[in-house]
Amino acid sequence: MTEIIETPEGTFTVKLTLDDLGSIYPGMIRYTIEVLHGTTTVYTYAINSYEAPPISLFDTRKAAEIVFARLVHDVASRPEAYVRPRLFTRPLPGTGAADVVILQGSPRRFGNSAKVASWCYDEATRMGLTSRAFYLHEMDIRPCIGCYVCYNHGYCPVDDDMPAIIRALETASVLVVCTPVYTGTVPAPLKALMDRCQWLHAREKILGKEVHARGLLVTVAGRRGAEPFVCVTRVVDMFMKNLGIRPAAPVLIGDLDRAGDVGVIAGAEDDIRAAFRALLTPRDEG
């Protein structure tokens, strides 16, 4: 659907296009409206069929057609408002890329997970790699609201600290997740980040921005045995695989209710450093 509008400010074109995104989610359709001043895009609007909840009276195609008609009228009525680009996107930071990204999931700034993160950071430095460690409890990371807006143009409308993390993850070669076991799973800030990384999934599918990292989970628990780690390992494994990150075998350290300090567990630091080094290929090291 296209309308060409001649105005004192020049020629405007308003276009409504449909994109079948069924390869991402079954039945997903994106409707995009562009306003061009000559050949320059000055305004965009997009909506996809997953933005409407199931069995909703809200129809995305009808909504797109209404926006199209209103834009045609608005451009014709006040073309001077559209002579400069007004593109409502939220670009990622231009800086902040790193070889290694470390997600520290514990709210305890100097706890066992933080100590594990420091060992990984130190090992990366020894190997000449750049690193960024994110202490998630100290950041503003809001929950994903399931709006699916990220599948329109590859950006998330939620205004918080996530862009820096997305920027770092998108360029990293190695991702390390350091987390304690909280009620059988990961702490809330880490889970919120994982859900919000659907934004990265959208950027991969919409913009071709693939993540090329390998991943390592290092998790600590108070109890002994394998049972405390069952949910944590599955959650983090699914998180990494959803982003195309290749997970290595996790490092699981238990019995901390008794030991208290991961640093006193024989061989723990050496095992973590060795697991980190094993993620790196000659291409990364050189």
Side-chain angles (χ1 to χ4, degrees):
M1 187 181 298
T2 302
E3 287 279 349
I4 298 175
I5 307 164
E6 298 292 345
T7 78
E9 302 291 345
T11 301
F12 289 87
T13 305
V14 184
K15 299 192 301 183
L16 170 59
T17 57
L18 179 154
D19 296 295
D20 184 351
L21 303 183
S23 60
I24 302 174
Y25 288 113
M28 178 178 270
I29 297 173
R30 180 181 61 198
Y31 303 92
T32 303
I33 302 167
E34 285 185 286
V35 178
L36 292 86
H37 183 215
T39 58
T40 302
T41 300
V42 293
Y43 184 87
T44 60
Y45 171 87
I47 188 171
N48 69 71
S49 55
Y50 269 54
E51 292 183 53
I55 321 177
S56 172
L57 297 177
F58 179 78
D59 182 270
T60 49
R61 182 184 183 96
K62 186 64 176 177
E65 291 174 349
I66 290 171
V67 172
F68 175 84
R70 289 182 175 177
L71 278 171
V72 168
H73 174 76
D74 199 46
V75 170
S77 301
R78 52 186 197 116
E80 68 280 358
Y82 293 89
V83 295
R84 296 185 183 87
R86 298 189 299 161
L87 306 179
F88 299 104
T89 60
R90 194 158 168 252
L92 300 184
T95 59
D99 300 316
V100 178
V101 171
I102 301 169
L103 303 179
Q104 203 288 89
S106 173
R108 300 180 66 204
R109 188 68 160 92
F110 302 104
N112 287 309
S113 293
K115 185 169 287 188
V116 167
S118 72
W119 292 339
C120 295
Y121 195 100
D122 179 65
E123 197 63 30
T125 301
R126 289 186 184 188
M127 302 181 76
L129 302 173
T130 58
S131 301
R132 291 201 69 183
F134 294 98
Y135 289 76
L136 306 181
H137 188 71
E138 300 172 8
M139 302 179 71
D140 178 19
I141 301 174
R142 302 182 187 181
C144 176
I145 60 174
C147 66
Y148 290 94
V149 170
C150 55
Y151 290 93
N152 290 334
H153 294 303
Y155 74 94
C156 176
V158 178
D159 186 10
D160 61 3
D161 292 339
M162 276 299 296
I165 298 174
I166 297 296
R167 164 67 173 161
L169 287 174
E170 204 167 70
T171 56
S173 298
V174 173
L175 167 65
V176 182
V177 177
C178 306
T179 182
V181 176
Y182 271 29
T183 321
T185 185
V186 298
L190 178 56
K191 184 58 170 66
L193 175 138
M194 292 178 180
D195 293 343
R196 288 289 303 288
C197 278
Q198 199 68 12
W199 182 0
L200 263 180
H201 182 264
R203 287 178 64 81
E204 175 194 353
K205 300 301 182 182
I206 300 299
L207 303 178
K209 301 286 187 179
E210 295 183 5
V211 178
H212 296 286
R214 273 132 302 162
L216 174 66
L217 165 65
V218 184
T219 180
V220 298
R223 291 187 294 145
R224 300 179 182 180
E227 183 189 5
F229 301 105
V230 170
C231 185
V232 169
T233 53
R234 288 180 178 174
V235 167
V236 176
D237 188 66
M238 288 300 299
F239 159 66
M240 291 187 181
K241 288 180 177 177
N242 187 52
L243 300 179
I245 296 173
R246 292 167 284 165
V251 179
L252 313 177
I253 303 171
D255 202 24
L256 280 169
D257 282 346
R258 181 186 61 82
D261 182 356
V262 68
V264 305
I265 296 179
E269 181 176 353
D270 291 340
D271 289 347
I272 291 167
R273 290 179 181 268
F276 178 85
R277 289 193 299 269
L279 290 178
L280 303 170
T281 66
R283 174 178 61 83
D284 298 309
E285 295 174 357

